[in-house]
Amino acid sequence: MSIAEQPALSADLATVGHWIAGRAEEDATRFAPVYDPATGEVARRVALAEAADVDRAVVAARTAFADWSQASLAKRSGVLFRFRELLAAGADEVARTVTAEHGKTLDDARGEVQRGLEVVEFACGIAHLMKGEASEQISTRVDSTSYRQPLGVVAGITPFNFPSMVPMWMFPIAIACGNAFVLKPSEKDPSASLILARLLAEAGLPDGVFSVVQGDKVAVDALLTHPEVDAVSFVGSTPIAKHVYETATAHGKRAQALGGAKNHAVVLPDANLDVAADAIASAAFGSAGQRCMAISAVVTVGDEAGDALSAAVVERARALTVGPGAADGSEMGPVISPEARERVAAYAGRGADEGATLALDGRELVVAGHEGGFFVGPTVLDHVTPAMDVYKDEVFGPLLVILRAASFEDALALVNANPYGNGAAIFTADGGAAREFRSRVTAGMVGINVPIPVPMAYFSFGGWKNSLFGDLHVHGREGVLFYTRGKVVTERWPERAHGVDYGFPTQT
Ligand code: NAD
């Protein structure tokens, strides 16, 4: 179904609205449909903000920033500790909401809430994380101290594939650092953001420190150009990441924009092929391949290992139970939209037309009782070459391509020639090869016999090349640096009153 064919949105549908200055708001003149991807039905509608709505949220944030930035570290971490407890207690509600709108399995949704919770726990340590440095006696009776201070109002613009976790990569740290935060979630699965807003308010966060504006490009562009927004964190596809980074920085804002990915797994002939096949099948088809760290390209070294690995991955993929995310036993849910399903099918067909072997074709999959759902089965294309579109483009669905390389060096060169550089993994029993890969691969997150090497909250998450525009990755130490700016104070306290000295200070 194309956008033009979407059913008219009935006003009887429940509305997912904004959260501005501590209040829920549902009034809007534009709305978009929010689907249940497991049935294909429109379940509710989401309000789409105009520039004036964004302005109200930003003005409220600027006002709230004045007091929040001056609140003690103990007060700020106290709010986060309470939010952590409320979120842990409400994790199931968040996960069920994510599954209802995104389609991923409940287990997967619970996993994403847990990963978000870990960032909240990291942010609870803000008193330690914001400590500066000090040097006594940099000159006679002169001392220097450095501080990290909040930026002001920061915006977060997030993708559909992790509607609770990706916002939590951002706002817990931004808020803990003393900023006010305006979130623009994906319009495809907007409801989780409102649960988070309610829990923050219950935790005692002052009104205006955290707001949610629902919307599309209109809201995004209003945030990117608003003079009172100091910084922008973005996660989404590469073309939009580039637009966000360029527009935000052109308007004088600090920006970090995480983009798309084509994550490779290199499998050497000495790898345990059963272990590698288990890991690759789960990393390629978990969450229907809609993870920024999903493995979407495998590069095998040596024909024999390639054939065995390909057969083993296909066997596992064929055995996957595809069904509604909320149903017991479902291992893979639907994709997010009819367009996403059509995209996967079109790339599978194009790859086959270009000469790849369609080793597993998920295009005709039908889930009984859910015929209208946006389901597409696991699909594997073998003997893919780097020139094929199905390799060059990010497909973002349950479609895995397998390429063959003659040697470790060829495989590494192939990975490094790819314009994306989010994650890369190697499967091998050879420590020397693993070390070489770790050192020379041009990706921001590297797995050694680990298919999805997502850093824990206290490390930082981010890719290289077209997977990140900006300098700092999200969460961990780099998250704290992104949401703060440095100040260095030099102070002299004379022992006793003395006359003015216009000379250059020296270290005597
Ligand atoms: P998307 O780029 O379509 O949307 C992301 C956000 O940008 C949404 O909030 C959306 O409303 C907004 N947006 C969309 N079009 C816009 C436009 N023309 N102008 C301004 N704003 C616009 O991404 P998506 O489909 O929601 O998410 C999937 C993508 O996100 C994939 O490419 C995936 O690889 C990427 N992703 C990357 C990471 C990472 O860490 N690098 C993490 C998660 C997802």
Side-chain angles (χ1 to χ4, degrees), residues 206-285:
D207 292 348
V209 177
F210 179 81
S211 288
V212 178
V213 282
Q214 309 287 1
D216 53 9
K217 182 174 170 53
V218 173
V220 172
D221 288 348
L223 285 166
L224 299 180
T225 54
H226 199 294
E228 291 291 334
V229 171
D230 297 289
V232 177
S233 296
F234 171 89
V235 177
S237 60
T238 290
I240 312 296
K242 200 159 180 288
H243 163 72
V244 165
Y245 184 78
E246 286 170 356
T247 312
T249 52
H251 285 80
K253 302 176 197 327
R254 183 178 288 192
Q256 57 181 179
L258 282 68
K262 196 84 180 178
N263 304 307
H264 294 67
V266 171
V267 182
L268 299 188
D270 61 16
N272 180 325
L273 292 184
D274 272 337
V275 169
D278 283 344
I280 288 166
S282 126
F285 305 118

Side-chain angles (χ1 to χ4, degrees), residues 12-60:
D12 295 338
L13 286 168
T15 301
V16 184
H18 316 302
W19 179 273
I20 298 176
R23 275 191 338 111
E25 294 188 10
E26 289 185 0
D27 287 350
T29 48
R30 294 186 303 131
F31 297 90
V34 180
Y35 289 95
D36 174 353
T39 62
E41 281 161 16
V42 178
R44 48 192 76 81
R45 61 178 193 171
V46 59
L48 299 177
E50 305 299 335
D53 302 312
V54 170
D55 185 59
R56 278 182 302 111
V58 173
V59 168

Side-chain angles (χ1 to χ4, degrees), residues 157-162 166 169 184-188 215-217 220-221 234-238 240 243 258-261 292 394 396 422 461 467:
I157 299 156
T158 53
F160 81 82
N161 65 326
F162 286 108
V166 170
W169 282 355
K184 206 302 282 172
S186 169
E187 63 276 41
K188 297 192 176 105
D216 53 9
K217 182 174 170 53
V220 172
D221 288 348
F234 171 89
V235 177
S237 60
T238 290
I240 312 296
H243 163 72
L258 282 68
C292 51
E394 182 187 37
F396 216 59
N422 218 35
F461 181 109
S467 297

